[in-house]
């Protein structure tokens, strides 16, 4: 597959540190189109610019929209790698089915991203802790107001040089356990990276923010008791005798780093389980001194230790230091991502060797 590239004649200044998250965008973007008649066609890398979109496009009215998040890293020898892009290609293909959208073929997904990252490779930051965040997005772009799956789609990829997701940097985050609103119910969209899941989570997070919370932890829709996820992260609980993350049962996003952490913890011989876990069990274990750590995992958030988890009027606090499991996982994963440890699990897709 040949992807034509139109170079941006007006490249932007590279941003200064600190980068924050999702504030800056590179000089180019990847775009491809789908119609029922032609299938996927016209893939290209073009200068970063607004997308021409009909105001009647399905994405604006019926939320036919989903995205992915993955990262490219620069190694000390200037080699650029992308972390597990095949995982994101597969997850997007599966999610597209649920949203009645055509799946983006893996080759188009990977080739589009690789071509774009190669064109904008000078934007991949050098500093450990920063990376180039890749945001593939699939939207219904047919202009039609009848409620049915659109017949036309646009797949685009944009890039953003980023540092940590949370404004507190690598400091432990403060999480509010939400009991009133819900993020997802069984049979809904919870396990899909649908844009709609993020808007459904916005209000609770917005109400929690002025009280000092970085995010909210979602409970199940029926019992308001089973722990699900944090919306921007999956969660892990380190008990004295067991490490637990909620089992995937349709309402939780199957996170890429969740999978990596499960694999690493198992390989370290830790007793890790995917199972149902209630907030009451967590609160009880905390009182009994049996709950040692809580942390979140996500592409943007990487591994984020939770310093405080507040459930009703119970504020559970957790210590975090170099011996914490979350710190060990953070170190192992980032060492692999930045090429400081061998990639024995084949997580990195090498882009090209680039001389600076
Ligand atoms: C990611 O970790 O890539 C996410 O999608 C979380 C958030 C920034 C939406």
């Amino acid at each position: 597959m040949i992807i034509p590239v139109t170079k941006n004649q007006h490249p932007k200044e590279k941003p200064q540190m600190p980068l924050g998250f999702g504030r800056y965008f590179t000089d180019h973007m990847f775009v491809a189109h789908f119609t029922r008649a032609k299938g996927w066609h016209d893939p290209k890398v073009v200068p970063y610019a607004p997308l021409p979109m009909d105001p009647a496009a399905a994405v604006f009215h019926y939320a036919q929209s989903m995205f992915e998040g993955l990262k490219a890293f620069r190694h000390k020898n200037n080699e650029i790698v992308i972390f597990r892009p095949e995982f994101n290609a597969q997850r997007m293909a599966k999610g597209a089915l649920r949203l009645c959208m055509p799946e983006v073929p893996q080759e188009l997904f990977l080739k589009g991203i690789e071509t774009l990252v190669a064109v904008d490779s000078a934007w991949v930051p050098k500093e450990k802790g920063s990376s180039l965040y890749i945001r593939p997005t699939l939207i219904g772009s047919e202009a039609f107001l009848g409620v049915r799956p659109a017949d036309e789609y646009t797949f685009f990829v944009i890039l953003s040089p980023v540092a940590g997701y949370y404004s507190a940097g690598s400091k432990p985050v403060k999480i509010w356990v939400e009991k009133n609103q819900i993020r997802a119910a069984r049979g809904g969209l919870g396990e899909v990276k649908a844009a709609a899941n993020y808007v459904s989570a916005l209000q609770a997070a917005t109400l929690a923010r002025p009280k000092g919370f970085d995010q909210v932890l979602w409970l199940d829709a029926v019992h308001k008791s089973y722990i699900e996820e944090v919306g921007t992260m999956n969660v892990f609980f380190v008990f004295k005798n067991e490490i637990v993350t909620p089992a995937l049962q349709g309402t939780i996003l199957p996170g890429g780093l969740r999978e990596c952490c499960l694999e690493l913890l198992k390989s370290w011989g830790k007793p890790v389980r995917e199972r149902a876990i209630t907030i009451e069990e967590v609160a009880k274990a905390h009182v009994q001194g049996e709950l040692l750590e809580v942390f979140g995992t996500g592409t943007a958030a990487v591994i984020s230790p939770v310093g405080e988890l507040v459930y009703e009027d119970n504020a559970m606090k957790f210590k975090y230091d170099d011996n914490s499991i979350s710190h060990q996982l953070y170190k192992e994963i980032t060492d692999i991502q930045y090429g400081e440890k061998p990639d024995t699990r084949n997580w990195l897709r090498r882009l090209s060797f680039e001389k600076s």
Side-chain angles (χ1 to χ4, degrees):
M1 180 191 308
I2 305 286
I3 297 182
V5 175
T6 307
K7 281 287 187 85
N8 192 332
Q9 298 306 316
H10 306 284
K12 291 176 261 201
E13 289 274 314
K14 304 282 183 304
Q16 301 294 313
M17 300 286 152
L19 293 171
F21 181 86
R23 280 198 240 139
Y24 304 102
F25 301 97
T26 65
D27 289 322
H28 299 87
M29 61 186 189
F30 171 78
V31 188
H33 297 283
F34 175 95
T35 57
R36 299 270 171 226
K38 285 195 187 166
W40 284 105
H41 61 277
D42 200 18
K44 53 185 185 262
V45 169
V46 291
Y48 186 98
L51 290 169
M53 195 64 51
D54 195 293
V59 61
F60 297 133
H61 303 275
Y62 308 126
Q64 264 196 300
S65 173
M66 67 177 302
F67 65 90
E68 275 298 329
L70 62 162
K71 281 176 172 172
F73 300 88
R74 184 183 290 277
H75 288 182
K76 286 219 169 70
N77 62 3
N78 274 323
E79 186 173 44
I80 288 168
V81 299
I82 304 179
F83 191 72
R84 301 185 75 215
E86 301 84 355
F87 169 86
N88 299 85
Q90 283 159 17
R91 188 171 66 181
M92 181 171 244
K94 199 166 162 223
L97 282 180
R98 177 65 179 83
L99 299 181
C100 297
M101 305 208 269
E103 67 178 68
V104 178
Q106 175 147 322
E107 197 200 350
L108 179 68
F109 185 97
L110 297 178
K111 207 62 205 286
I113 288 176
E114 281 179 0
T115 310
L116 179 63
V117 173
V119 170
D120 275 339
S121 62
W123 287 80
V124 184
K126 283 191 169 59
E127 297 72 21
K128 195 164 182 190
S130 52
S131 57
L132 189 67
Y133 184 75
I134 305 169
R135 175 53 71 86
T137 309
L138 175 59
I139 56 172
S141 43
E142 184 194 7
F144 178 66
L145 292 183
V147 181
R148 58 139 172 84
D151 276 342
E152 292 169 24
Y153 293 85
T154 302
F155 172 59
F156 65 90
V157 183
I158 54 173
L159 306 173
S160 175
V162 299
Y165 182 70
Y166 294 108
S167 51
S170 56
K171 282 225 294 284
V173 292
K174 204 173 153 186
I175 304 281
W176 169 257
V177 182
E178 177 60 35
K179 261 214 112 164
N180 296 315
Q181 298 192 359
I182 56 148
R183 173 185 172 273
R186 290 217 185 175
L189 301 179
E191 65 183 349
V192 176
K193 215 158 169 62
N197 283 330
Y198 293 81
V199 73
S200 97
L202 277 185
Q203 195 183 34
T206 305
L207 293 172
R209 197 150 302 130
K211 297 178 201 149
F213 295 97
D214 297 284
Q215 277 297 333
V216 306
L217 176 64
W218 296 101
L219 301 177
D220 76 283
V222 178
H223 309 278
K224 302 268 181 75
S225 168
Y226 292 96
I227 291 171
E228 303 222 311
E229 59 155 287
V230 170
T232 50
M233 320 189 279
N234 294 110
V235 274
F236 283 73
F237 297 86
V238 181
F239 295 99
K240 258 193 184 148
N241 300 319
E242 186 189 25
I243 304 173
V244 178
T245 191
L248 303 174
Q249 25 61 3
T251 55
I252 299 174
L253 188 83
L257 275 198
R258 174 186 182 278
E259 214 175 78
C260 295
C261 288
L262 285 168
E263 204 175 315
L264 285 174
L265 290 167
K266 281 179 199 157
S267 76
W268 294 344
K270 302 280 183 200
V272 58
R273 278 179 69 199
E274 296 171 78
R275 66 164 172 85
I277 174 168
T278 63
I279 188 66
E280 291 79 13
E281 176 185 348
V282 163
K284 187 166 164 210
H286 179 258
V287 170
Q288 294 172 337
E290 307 247 306
L291 179 57
L292 310 178
E293 270 181 68
V294 180
F295 63 90
T297 64
T299 296
V302 197
I303 311 287
S304 289
V306 174
E308 194 172 340
L309 183 66
V310 180
Y311 174 54
E312 298 183 319
D313 49 11
N314 178 8
M316 298 171 247
K317 295 199 175 160
F318 305 96
K319 277 201 319 227
Y320 173 71
D321 59 32
D322 286 1
N323 296 320
S324 302
I325 295 280
S326 62
H327 181 76
Q328 291 168 37
L329 285 168
Y330 176 84
K331 176 127 183 40
E332 184 73 13
I333 287 172
T334 54
D335 281 353
I336 294 169
Q337 290 174 329
Y338 290 91
E340 290 166 7
K341 263 211 169 150
D343 171 30
T344 55
R345 291 182 174 77
N346 230 352
W347 283 345
L348 306 182
R349 193 170 167 109
R350 291 183 154 68
L351 195 66
S352 63
F353 189 84
E354 199 213 5
K355 294 222 157 40
S356 67

